[in-house]
Amino acid sequence: MLRYTVRRFGQLILVVAALSVLLFAWLRSLPGGPVSALLGERATPESRAQLQAVLGLDRPVHVQYFQFLGRAASGDFGVSTGVQPGDDALSIFLQRFPATLELSLLAIVLAVAAGIPLGYVAARRRGGWLDNAGVVSSLVGVAVPVFFLAFLLKYVFAVELGMLPTSGRQNAGIDATRVTGFFVLDGLLTREWDASWDALKHLMLPALALSSIPFAVVFRITRAAVLDVLDEDYVRTAYSKGLTDTVIRGRHVLRNAMLPVVTIIGLQTGALLSGAVLTEKVFAFQGVGEALAIGFERRDYPVLQVVIIAAAMVYVLVNLIVDLSYAVIDPRVRT
Amino acid sequence: MTRLPAARLRRLAAAGAAAAVALSLTACAASERDEGDGAQSGGTMTFGAAGAPDLFDPFYASDGETFRVTRQMFEGLVGIEPGGTELQPELATRWEPSEDGLTWTFTLREGVTFHDGTPFDADAVCANFQRMFNQTGAGQSQALSYYWTQSFGGFADGATPSLYESCTAQDPGTAVIELTRSTGEFPGLLALDSFYMQSPAALERYNANDVRAQGDGFVYSEYAREHPTGTGPFRFAGYDEANGSVELARYDDYWGEQAELSRLIFQVIPDETARRQALEAGEIDGYDLPNPADWQTLRDNGFNLQIRDPFNILYLGITQKNNPALADLRVRQALAHAIDRETLVSATLPDGAEVARNFYPDTVDGWTQDVVEYQHDPQRARQQLAEAGQQNLTVDFHWPTEVTRPYMPDPQSIFGALREDLEAAGITVNPVSKPWNGGYIDDVESARAELFLLGWTGDLNSPNNFIGTFFSAPDSQFWTQASPWGQQLSDELQAADSEPDEQRRTAMYEELNRKLKAEYLPAVPISHSPPAIVVSEDVEGLVPSPLTKERFDTVSIGG
């Protein structure tokens, strides 16, 4: 188990190293750059050249890369030029990551809370109306683009009905105290209940939009897995032994059906970041997804580098945790 | 006594540990709310901003979203009349130039204090100018001190000539500023946000000049991030970066009439549609530059949409560097005849937009009706191309995506209309579209485009702020050095700007405008578009500014 974990961490380092090289080269091959973003539309060739030199952007890409590595080794990942100019790129990530994590967690909780029970019930009542409704809604969840769903939810529940806020993380006038960066949690910790409730309301629509794909996937995988398990001999044996339905469901059906579901939850959690870019943009939600969108628009190399590498690390780590959790769910993996 | 099973024990222990962690966190996290703030009268206005401010030291800023915030906290020696473009007294009550335009004596307003309680006087004025003039290192980069380098030129190190010579505190109420040459832009350029007065004590205390290049970007000072200190009607109250909101509070010792609002919040909402929806949902009280396509809907829904007088220019840029045909005046005139500006303005620009005769609006000195007008005449265009031997003219026409500008609300439709016009005159157009920051500006500034769309919103009521900015450098985006008159135009602009006599200066600009249209035509002026600002119906007292320099101290909010 330990060797396996160490090997997976080794792989993580290799992935990050390879990604950093590709990313660094790719960003600098894109048209435009921070010089245009910083100087605006009235720069002269001289002022452009001067700024390129000041920022070291006139040096060969491989030299810039090694300089970046040197600085990164001492914890300096560069300074933002577009997302939050002047701020350390890593601190921007750390400041915004709780927002995306809060959003992603709620999205995955919604997806799992709805997807697993519905998938299970759909499988148990295969062909019934609940099964059909679940299958259709999961198809819609996968087929409808997240940004469209985000627009739709926002228009109906925020603009037309006024039930939830249209954008942002929290009403700016609420005067909330910041502790952890997780706004809902901060409100609870400081007993600023209104701040916590307001942050939760701001989370609802983006989380709902973001949960559409994970919900659909979790529902379908749960349904398929439960159907498979129900056909297994050991389930029939359990029934013939006279075990109660509750025991069979809990110990034999759900537990065995959960293996593929947990895998898919892990993959979906990692993949939420791509959905978060669009969702956060639509809802002006100040997470890393929005930073990524603004970073591309303004060619903010340091922020893009940190966010993309960190997102990759999160993705790999989540999947590592999923793989390790197999061992907990399925004792055969431990050997 | 019954023993609990091991699994249950483990679960109980975990729950206990979680509860202990939660309790300990709660114990160390105290609310930092200031309960007193809510008691102030005047209410709070939340304004939707399109972007986060870069920093709060206006000297190092050059973008509109930063200035929108700093403008509420800082003031200049010279101000701009509300709703107009003319100069008016602000921190200086009067100013007097010497005959040669090199020495300016400013009489300062009495009883003014900075937000840190220190007095505003002649020493403070000179400390500000000395601070700007003595920038070193990264502080001299155009990315930081854009307006200084554009307006005053060089710094104390003398590497580049500077317009600024010295500042003397004659007495506490009188500051004398010496210039190295006369310019028509002085003292108007002191109304630029970058040159607003800042507290010398705060500048020093929080190391305002501590800016440096680090990696790919710049690091700003503690002053610029957390302690901006001006004399304006609002003071800095905090920047919640995690929530994208800046908060200002009314400055109770303001020298003038106090602001109606007790709190002013700028909430960053980058997406334009999201800003409109936030306004419709009552989450914000206003935002700038609503999409012209939404104007009528906003009005119909009871919002107070205010359209500013246009103070900008959109032009068809022509780069003479890469396509030799474009260095021929007849070809450029053919382009001007080919495009139907009347139809373009009425079909693609918002209500109130006007066809441009000069390269700046008619409210700026030196504007003249007496310029050559290139009527839409495709036949004439073909004829002129034939005379120039360019019947088969092909041009690369660059246009930007992922951007709107007050002077260019919809680049795609403007490009589409122009392309049709040019093709109708027999010109082959190769469209080149790129994102604004994704190569478009690079191409234009590096003179790689042949035709392009660009424009400008004036910073101040000065012809030099328009045509001086555009055409002074012969190696600019127009590459006028390809023509024999490129340097001459540059010299003529410099001469007009340096003329101390106002009447003579105006006449020189009128003559320049005539020549720009008839003899040089480095670009084709197209239109002036009115930008709008929208607020909810319970917001009163907002005075829209043609320069998009609104101050919110006159604003009150009901409901």
Side-chain angles (χ1 to χ4, degrees):
Chain A
M1 190 75 181
L2 183 67
R3 278 184 60 188
Y4 175 73
T5 311
V6 170
R7 200 172 71 231
R8 291 296 299 268
F9 270 105
Q11 286 171 353
L12 172 67
I13 291 166
L14 281 178
V15 166
V16 169
L19 181 68
S20 74
V21 175
L22 292 173
L23 184 63
F24 200 89
W26 175 66
L27 285 176
R28 280 149 184 81
S29 70
L30 291 175
V35 169
S36 302
L38 284 167
L39 289 178
E41 62 225 69
R42 290 291 153 201
T44 59
E46 293 77 42
S47 62
R48 292 175 63 86
Q50 187 215 24
L51 185 57
Q52 295 262 12
V54 167
L55 300 180
L57 297 169
D58 55 344
R59 292 168 204 156
V61 174
H62 68 275
V63 175
Q64 291 182 47
Y65 179 70
F66 286 117
Q67 285 173 332
F68 164 73
L69 278 188
R71 291 195 304 269
S74 60
D76 171 12
F77 291 88
V79 176
S80 169
T81 55
V83 178
Q84 287 165 217
D87 281 4
D88 176 66
L90 184 62
S91 71
I92 290 176
F93 174 80
L94 294 175
Q95 177 202 79
R96 284 172 173 259
F97 188 60
T100 302
L101 198 57
E102 208 170 38
L103 175 60
S104 302
L105 282 176
L106 186 58
I108 209 74
V109 164
L110 289 175
V112 169
I116 291 180
L118 280 176
Y120 179 79
V121 174
R124 291 299 297 258
R125 297 177 190 174
R126 188 179 184 181
W129 70 268
L130 200 73
D131 184 26
N132 289 332
V135 170
V136 170
S137 63
S138 71
L139 271 176
V140 171
V142 173
V144 176
V146 173
F147 75 89
F148 178 73
L149 187 64
F151 270 121
L152 200 68
L153 288 170
K154 185 170 158 180
Y155 183 73
V156 174
F157 293 102
V159 179
E160 285 299 310
L161 299 176
M163 290 165 65
L164 292 162
T166 61
S167 57
R169 289 187 70 191
Q170 199 169 50
N171 181 350
I174 216 157
D175 191 18
T177 305
R178 304 278 174 248
V179 184
T180 63
F182 295 89
F183 285 9
V184 177
L185 182 64
D186 287 353
L188 295 175
L189 293 175
T190 54
R191 296 191 185 85
E192 293 171 352
W193 314 119
D194 56 335
S196 191
W197 175 235
D198 187 70
L200 189 64
K201 283 200 295 185
H202 278 82
L203 272 173
M204 287 310 297
L205 288 180
L208 213 55
L210 197 56
S211 70
S212 64
I213 291 177
F215 159 74
V217 175
V218 168
F219 169 82
R220 293 175 75 87
I221 297 291
T222 307
R223 180 179 175 276
V226 171
L227 282 175
D228 283 348
V229 174
L230 284 174
D231 272 348
E232 291 287 344
D233 289 342
Y234 58 81
V235 174
R236 271 194 295 276
T237 309
Y239 273 113
S240 63
K241 277 167 67 182
L243 290 178
T244 63
D245 204 36
T246 315
V247 172
I248 295 170
R249 252 185 308 184
R251 284 204 189 148
H252 299 289
V253 179
L254 259 181
R255 187 160 186 166
N256 284 297
M258 277 304 100
L259 268 181
V261 177
V262 169
T263 309
I264 215 70
I265 290 172
L267 287 171
Q268 287 297 315
T269 308
L272 276 181
L273 189 66
S274 56
V277 175
L278 296 169
T279 313
E280 288 182 3
K281 197 167 189 313
V282 171
F283 287 98
F285 195 84
Q286 289 88 359
V288 289
E290 194 203 45
L292 208 54
I294 299 173
F296 268 112
E297 207 173 279
R298 300 188 68 173
R299 296 293 188 266
D300 191 333
Y301 295 159
V303 168
L304 291 174
Q305 281 157 196
V306 167
V307 168
I308 293 174
I309 290 173
M313 286 174 73
V314 169
Y315 190 87
V316 175
L317 277 173
V318 167
N319 283 288
L320 174 62
I321 293 165
V322 169
D323 289 352
L324 295 176
S325 73
Y326 283 174
V328 179
I329 296 171
D330 186 351
R332 288 170 299 182
V333 178
R334 288 178 209 162
T335 53
Chain B
M1 195 172 127
T2 51
R3 286 183 58 157
L4 288 169
R8 205 172 158 193
L9 266 176
R10 276 201 302 273
R11 278 199 291 273
L12 269 175
V21 169
L23 273 173
S24 60
L25 277 174
T26 313
C28 65
S31 173
E32 292 166 10
R33 275 185 176 167
D34 182 357
E35 301 296 340
D37 266 11
Q40 284 194 323
S41 63
T44 300
M45 180 165 102
T46 304
F47 194 84
D54 287 356
L55 72 172
F56 300 105
D57 180 346
F59 177 68
Y60 293 128
S62 57
D63 72 293
E65 293 303 337
T66 299
F67 287 145
R68 193 193 307 284
V69 178
T70 59
R71 187 173 301 129
Q72 318 304 327
M73 299 187 281
F74 296 96
E75 295 171 306
L77 290 179
V78 174
I80 303 280
E81 58 166 347
T85 58
E86 296 300 319
L87 300 182
Q88 70 169 21
E90 202 157 80
L91 291 178
T93 52
R94 53 193 291 268
W95 47 89
E96 200 65 50
S98 62
E99 206 164 298
D100 58 6
L102 297 180
T103 305
W104 290 77
T105 305
F106 291 87
T107 306
L108 307 181
R109 191 175 295 279
E110 290 177 5
V112 178
T113 54
F114 289 103
H115 300 156
D116 58 0
T118 56
F120 166 76
D121 55 18
D123 284 333
V125 172
C126 290
N128 270 271
F129 276 95
Q130 286 303 106
R131 180 240 174 169
M132 296 188 273
F133 186 53
N134 286 307
Q135 290 293 310
T136 56
Q140 293 189 357
S141 166
Q142 205 182 336
L144 292 179
S145 49
Y146 172 82
Y147 277 103
W148 180 272
T149 53
Q150 287 293 304
S151 309
F152 286 92
F155 297 89
D157 63 10
T160 311
S162 179
L163 173 65
Y164 175 80
E165 172 77 42
S166 66
C167 176
T168 312
Q170 208 169 67
D171 59 61
T174 312
V176 179
I177 295 174
E178 302 266 355
L179 304 179
T180 56
R181 64 175 173 81
S182 171
T183 169
E185 291 201 314
F186 205 86
L189 52 82
L190 298 183
L192 292 174
D193 298 72
S194 284
F195 307 134
Y196 284 0
M197 294 292 109
Q198 310 194 46
S199 159
L203 289 170
E204 192 180 337
R205 183 170 178 195
Y206 299 110
N207 302 311
N209 292 335
D210 182 22
V211 291
R212 58 187 190 282
Q214 182 179 316
D216 295 337
F218 293 99
V219 180
Y220 305 127
S221 69
E222 191 187 352
Y223 173 85
R225 299 157 63 87
E226 293 168 24
H227 301 283
T229 311
T231 61
F234 292 96
R235 60 178 172 78
F236 185 71
Y239 179 21
D240 183 352
E241 284 189 278
N243 198 34
S245 59
V246 180
E247 186 179 334
L248 309 183
R250 181 169 56 209
Y251 177 45
D252 291 328
D253 292 327
Y254 183 55
W255 59 267
E257 203 166 315
Q258 285 209 347
E260 299 268 354
L261 300 165
S262 61
R263 282 207 301 174
L264 176 58
I265 293 171
F266 295 92
Q267 176 68 57
V268 179
I269 308 176
D271 183 66
E272 203 271 332
T273 307
R275 286 197 295 281
R276 177 171 54 76
Q277 291 174 328
L279 178 73
E280 287 168 341
E283 293 161 21
I284 58 172
D285 300 301
Y287 69 96
D288 200 2
L289 305 177
N291 187 332
D294 294 329
W295 285 10
Q296 194 53 47
T297 314
L298 286 165
R299 279 197 195 105
D300 293 346
N301 291 340
F303 294 104
N304 183 4
L305 182 98
Q306 303 204 36
I307 299 174
R308 302 162 168 125
D309 291 335
F311 198 70
N312 56 37
I313 176 80
L314 166 70
Y315 55 76
L316 173 67
I318 304 169
T319 305
Q320 299 180 33
K321 186 180 183 182
N322 307 308
N323 188 337
L326 297 175
D328 188 325
L329 176 64
R330 290 167 299 182
V331 173
R332 299 197 298 279
Q333 287 175 327
L335 296 174
H337 277 301
I339 59 178
D340 183 356
R341 295 180 301 159
E342 297 281 352
T343 306
L344 185 144
V345 166
S346 60
T348 65
L349 296 177
D351 292 347
E354 300 159 3
V355 170
R357 287 184 77 89
N358 294 196
F359 282 95
Y360 52 76
D362 58 5
T363 47
V364 180
D365 290 346
W367 185 92
T368 173
Q369 182 83 17
D370 180 26
V371 291
V372 172
E373 262 306 271
Y374 295 96
Q375 300 298 337
H376 178 224
D377 189 345
Q379 262 322 103
R380 180 85 189 274
R382 283 176 186 273
Q383 195 184 327
Q384 283 189 297
L385 287 173
E387 285 169 16
Q390 296 293 342
Q391 298 92 325
N392 301 314
L393 178 67
T394 299
V395 288
D396 290 345
F397 191 161
H398 290 235
W399 65 278
T401 61
E402 298 178 16
V403 72
T404 61
R405 280 287 188 267
Y407 53 79
M408 182 168 57
D410 184 359
Q412 185 170 13
S413 62
I414 294 169
F415 164 76
L418 290 174
R419 178 188 185 176
E420 263 182 41
D421 288 345
L422 294 172
E423 288 179 341
I427 298 166
T428 305
V429 174
N430 293 329
V432 182
S433 65
K434 288 185 182 176
W436 183 256
N437 282 323
Y440 182 76
I441 287 297
D442 273 11
D443 285 352
V444 170
E445 287 176 352
S446 308
R448 285 196 289 268
E450 293 179 6
L451 299 184
F452 59 93
L453 291 174
L454 207 63
W456 180 250
T457 298
D459 292 311
L460 61 141
N461 190 348
S462 149
N464 194 55
N465 188 246
F466 286 87
I467 54 178
T469 305
F470 304 157
F471 307 123
S472 280
D475 63 347
S476 71
Q477 53 197 240
F478 307 98
W479 208 257
T480 51
Q481 66 187 20
S483 285
W485 46 264
Q487 188 56 48
Q488 183 185 328
L489 170 59
S490 183
D491 295 342
E492 287 170 340
L493 284 163
Q494 172 80 21
D497 179 49
S498 300
E499 172 54 53
D501 183 83
E502 195 174 335
Q503 272 191 331
R504 272 206 298 273
R505 189 168 63 238
T506 301
M508 289 167 87
Y509 277 119
E510 284 174 355
E511 179 58 18
L512 257 169
N513 281 323
R514 278 191 282 272
K515 289 172 84 171
L516 275 169
K517 287 292 289 292
E519 297 173 28
Y520 302 151
L521 205 66
V524 182
I526 295 177
S527 56
H528 309 295
S529 290
I533 182 168
V534 63
V535 290
S536 60
E537 58 183 337
D538 56 352
V539 171
E540 288 175 0
L542 176 69
V543 182
S545 156
L547 299 165
T548 65
K549 292 175 74 157
E550 284 79 18
R551 292 242 308 237
F552 294 129
D553 52 330
T554 55
V555 169
S556 64
I557 192 158

